[in-house]
Amino acid sequence: MKLAELIEHDVDRNEFLMLCKKVEYTIRAWYLLQFEDLMQLYSLFDPVSGEKRLEQQNLPSHEIDTLEFNFMTYLFQIMEKSNFKLLSDEEYDVAQSGRYLLNLPIIVDESKLDKKLLTTYFKEHPHDNLPSFADKYIVFRRGIGIDRTTDYFVMEKVDVIISRVWRSLLSFTRIDRLFSKKPQSKPRSAIKKTDEIIEDSEEQELFVERIRLEKIELSIKNLTHKMTIQEPTFDRMIVVYRRAGTKTKPDRGIFVKHFKNIPMADMEIVLPEKKNPTLTPMDWVKFLVSAVIGLVTLVGSLEMPKADVWVVIAIMSGVIGYCAKIYFTFQANMTLYQNLITKSMYDKQLDSGKGTLLHLCDDVIQQEVKEVIICYYILMEQGKATIQDLDLQCEELIKEEFGAECNFDVHDAVKKLEKLGIIHRDSIGRILCAPLKRANEIIGTTTEEMVLRAQQNSVS
C-alpha cells in the first residue's frame, strides 16, 4: 500500500494494486506444492501424531531415513529463504559472555537427546561453521533487537559489591597472581568485546551495547534507586531437535520450536531438555571455605586464655550469615529461572511443530512477493536499468520509504519477473517492464480471482 500511495494517477494506482494481488496469488501457487510436500513429510515426524502415521504406513527403516533427510532438506531450504542463519559457536560464545536476568548455570541433558539424525544428515549434507552442539540440536536465529529491564536489583547489587570487594582484597594481598593465567596472544580477528554484539552483513554492521550492573558505577543513588539494564536479543529463534529413543523403539519425532525476543545472555531458556539447576561448584567451594575459616577461627578463639564470647558469636554469625546468603541467593535465582521458563513458554514461544512450519511458509511467500513488487516498481518508475543499477535503486527505495537497510536479492526478483513474463531485456541487456495494464493481462486471471468472482456472483 505504501508504494501505491506514491503513484499519482488513480487509474495507475488501481492497476498497480491489482498487479500486487496477482503477483501474490501466483507466487503462492508456485510454492503450494513444495509446501504441501513439506507438511506431508512433517506429518510423519510430528511428535504428537507422527508415530501413529508411521505405523499405518508400515515403511521399512531405510525409507523412513530417506524421508527424514528429505524433510530436513526442505527445512533448511525454507530457513534460508526466510533469512534464518544457523547459530555458530562464535555467536553462542559472544551471547553467553555476559549475564542478564538468568544467573544460574543451565546445562542441557545430552543423554535425553538423539544424536543420530543430525549427525547423519550433516555427514551427507555438509554445512560450513557448524556449532559443536549440531549433533544434538540446531538453533536458527534471525534479526537483532534490544530488551531493557528496570528494577531495584537488590540481590544483584549486593553480589556486585561483594565481588568487587573480594577482587580488591585478592589484588591487595596479591593472591590473585597465584590463580591468574599468562595471557595468550590471539589474532586481532579472534578478540571479542563482551559488551557489544555485532551482526555482520555485506552492507553494514549493527552494534548493540550491553548495559550490565557489573559495568555500572554503584553510587548511593544507584543503590537506592531503580536501574535499567540492557541486553541485545535474537529477534527470532527456531530450535530443532529429537529426543533420544531406545534401541528397541527409536523416537522418530522431530521438534521444531519458534521463539521471539530472546535475550542473548539468557538464550539457554530455549534449549531443549535442560537439567534442573543446582548449586554451582563455586557455591560449594564458598560453603566449605566459609565453614573451614569459621571453624579455625572459632577453635583459635576458644584456645585463647580469655575467650571473648561476643567475638565467637560474631564470627559464627558472620559465617552462618554468609552461607545463608549463598543459599537464599540460589533460591531467588531458582525462582527467577522458573519465572523465565514460564514466560518463555507463554510470552516468548510463538509456535511449535506444524504451526512453525506454516509461519515460515508464509514468511517465504511474503518475502518473495515484496522483492518482486519492489523490483517491478523501480522499473516502472525509472524505465530501463541494468541489473546493478536495479539492485542499488531497490535498496535505496527500501531505505527511504521503509527505513530499513538490506542486501536486496535482485537476481531472484528478476528471475521471478521473467517467469511471470512481465519484463524483458533489450539488445544490450538492460531490463524493461511491461506497462501496468499489459502486465495484468499477461499474468491473466488467477484461481483466487475466479473464486472471489464466484462468491460475489452467488451473493448477488
Side-chain angles (χ1 to χ4, degrees):
M1 281 298 294
K2 193 162 186 177
L3 291 180
E5 292 172 359
L6 301 177
I7 300 174
E8 295 181 6
H9 302 293
D10 292 341
V11 175
D12 291 340
R13 188 183 303 115
N14 293 332
E15 289 285 348
F16 182 76
L17 291 173
M18 184 185 298
L19 178 67
C20 292
K21 291 180 180 179
K22 288 180 181 291
V23 168
E24 181 176 359
Y25 294 153
T26 305
I27 291 178
R28 191 176 293 277
W30 289 348
Y31 280 102
L32 181 61
L33 291 177
Q34 182 180 349
F35 291 160
E36 280 188 353
D37 289 342
L38 175 70
M39 302 309 294
Q40 287 293 330
L41 285 170
Y42 187 71
S43 67
L44 299 174
F45 308 111
D46 190 330
V48 178
S49 58
E51 183 179 1
K52 187 176 181 180
R53 293 206 59 174
L54 283 174
E55 289 177 357
Q56 293 173 348
Q57 297 285 341
N58 195 25
L59 298 171
S61 179
H62 69 276
E63 288 189 17
I64 298 177
D65 292 340
T66 302
L67 293 173
E68 283 179 349
F69 289 166
N70 290 342
F71 168 73
M72 294 299 294
T73 302
Y74 274 131
L75 181 63
F76 270 88
Q77 288 175 354
I78 197 173
M79 288 293 183
E80 184 179 0
K81 285 284 187 181
S82 299
N83 296 319
F84 276 91
K85 296 180 180 178
L86 272 176
L87 186 74
S88 65
D89 277 330
E90 184 181 23
E91 292 167 337
Y92 180 81
D93 291 340
V94 172
Q96 293 300 289
S97 61
R99 293 192 306 173
Y100 187 51
L101 298 180
L102 184 60
N103 294 313
L104 289 174
I106 306 301
I107 301 174
V108 173
D109 190 349
E110 298 182 1
S111 64
K112 294 183 179 180
L113 295 173
D114 173 75
K115 297 182 180 180
K116 180 182 176 183
L117 172 64
L118 293 172
T119 301
T120 310
Y121 176 78
F122 287 126
K123 189 178 294 184
E124 296 192 12
H125 302 80
H127 282 68
D128 295 331
N129 205 21
L130 283 175
S132 58
F133 49 79
D135 59 330
K136 298 172 285 290
Y137 57 91
I138 49 177
V139 180
F140 294 93
R141 56 94 179 170
R142 183 181 71 186
I144 300 293
I146 297 176
D147 186 79
R148 295 183 179 91
T149 301
T150 301
D151 205 341
Y152 288 103
F153 300 110
V154 177
M155 295 302 296
E156 289 81 359
K157 291 175 183 176
V158 172
D159 282 340
V160 171
I161 293 173
I162 293 175
S163 298
R164 290 182 181 180
V165 171
W166 181 250
R167 284 197 300 269
S168 299
L169 180 61
L170 291 179
S171 178
F172 178 76
T173 58
R174 298 187 177 182
I175 297 177
D176 58 334
R177 296 186 179 183
L178 299 175
F179 303 99
S180 62
K181 295 182 180 179
K182 186 177 180 180
Q184 298 178 353
S185 59
K186 292 185 179 181
R188 187 175 181 84
S189 60
I191 298 175
K192 292 293 173 187
K193 295 182 179 180
T194 59
D195 289 336
E196 59 185 25
I197 300 300
I198 305 172
E199 185 183 33
D200 294 324
S201 67
E202 295 184 9
E203 299 296 330
Q204 62 171 355
E205 288 185 338
L206 174 64
F207 294 86
V208 180
E209 182 185 5
R210 276 175 163 160
I211 301 177
R212 303 181 294 168
L213 288 175
E214 292 87 344
K215 299 296 182 180
I216 295 177
E217 182 182 353
L218 294 180
S219 61
I220 298 298
K221 179 180 179 182
N222 287 340
L223 288 174
T224 56
H225 290 73
K226 288 185 176 181
M227 297 178 65
T228 299
I229 57 177
Q230 174 178 293
E231 177 70 14
T233 64
F234 289 119
D235 188 57
R236 294 290 184 272
M237 296 188 77
I238 292 179
V239 183
V240 181
Y241 66 96
R242 166 180 282 171
R243 287 177 179 165
T246 61
K247 291 183 178 180
T248 56
K249 190 177 181 182
D251 193 333
R252 293 286 187 174
I254 299 176
F255 290 84
V256 184
K257 296 188 176 182
H258 193 185
F259 300 89
K260 67 174 181 178
N261 303 329
I262 301 298
M264 292 185 179
D266 295 344
M267 63 164 288
E268 304 102 310
I269 60 177
V270 307
L271 299 182
E273 302 299 332
K274 297 176 285 292
K275 293 181 180 179
N276 288 327
T278 58
L279 285 173
T280 64
M282 181 56 67
D283 290 333
W284 286 111
V285 168
K286 290 178 181 178
F287 266 126
L288 294 175
V289 170
S290 300
V292 170
I293 291 175
L295 183 63
V296 170
T297 308
L298 179 62
V299 172
S301 300
L302 293 175
E303 288 180 352
M304 293 177 63
K306 295 182 179 180
D308 192 335
V309 177
W310 293 109
V311 171
V312 174
I313 294 174
I315 293 171
M316 293 303 299
S317 299
V319 172
I320 294 173
Y322 184 70
C323 292
K325 180 259 178 190
I326 295 175
Y327 175 76
F328 287 117
T329 299
F330 170 76
Q331 290 297 325
N333 289 335
M334 190 68 179
T335 302
L336 179 61
Y337 167 73
Q338 293 170 346
N339 291 337
L340 285 174
I341 293 296
T342 303
K343 188 174 182 179
S344 72
M345 293 300 296
Y346 288 97
D347 296 340
K348 302 287 187 180
Q349 185 166 343
L350 288 174
D351 219 322
S352 63
K354 191 175 294 185
T356 297
L357 297 179
L358 289 171
H359 187 89
L360 289 172
C361 292
D362 191 63
D363 269 359
V364 170
I365 292 170
Q366 294 300 322
Q367 179 81 6
E368 299 285 318
V369 170
K370 290 173 183 176
E371 287 178 356
V372 170
I373 290 173
I374 288 173
C375 193
Y376 180 87
Y377 177 84
I378 291 294
L379 290 171
M380 180 184 70
E381 292 293 319
Q382 303 295 332
K384 300 177 182 179
T386 63
I387 194 76
Q388 293 81 8
D389 291 339
L390 184 58
D391 186 23
L392 180 61
Q393 291 179 44
C394 287
E395 291 176 358
E396 288 178 352
L397 176 69
I398 293 172
K399 184 177 181 180
E400 292 173 3
E401 297 299 331
F402 303 101
E405 295 190 23
C406 68
N407 181 27
F408 190 81
D409 190 358
V410 67
H411 294 282
D412 185 57
V414 168
K415 188 183 298 182
K416 287 182 170 57
L417 285 169
E418 289 176 333
K419 189 175 179 180
L420 288 166
I422 58 177
I423 65 170
H424 61 279
R425 298 175 187 260
D426 62 12
S427 58
I428 59 174
R430 291 179 301 182
I431 304 169
L432 302 88
C433 70
L436 277 170
K437 188 172 182 179
R438 178 59 184 155
N440 283 322
E441 291 174 355
I442 292 172
I443 296 176
T445 304
T446 63
T447 305
E448 285 80 359
E449 289 175 313
M450 294 177 66
V451 172
L452 289 173
R453 288 177 186 175
Q455 290 177 344
Q456 291 172 358
N457 291 335
S458 62
V459 172
S460 60

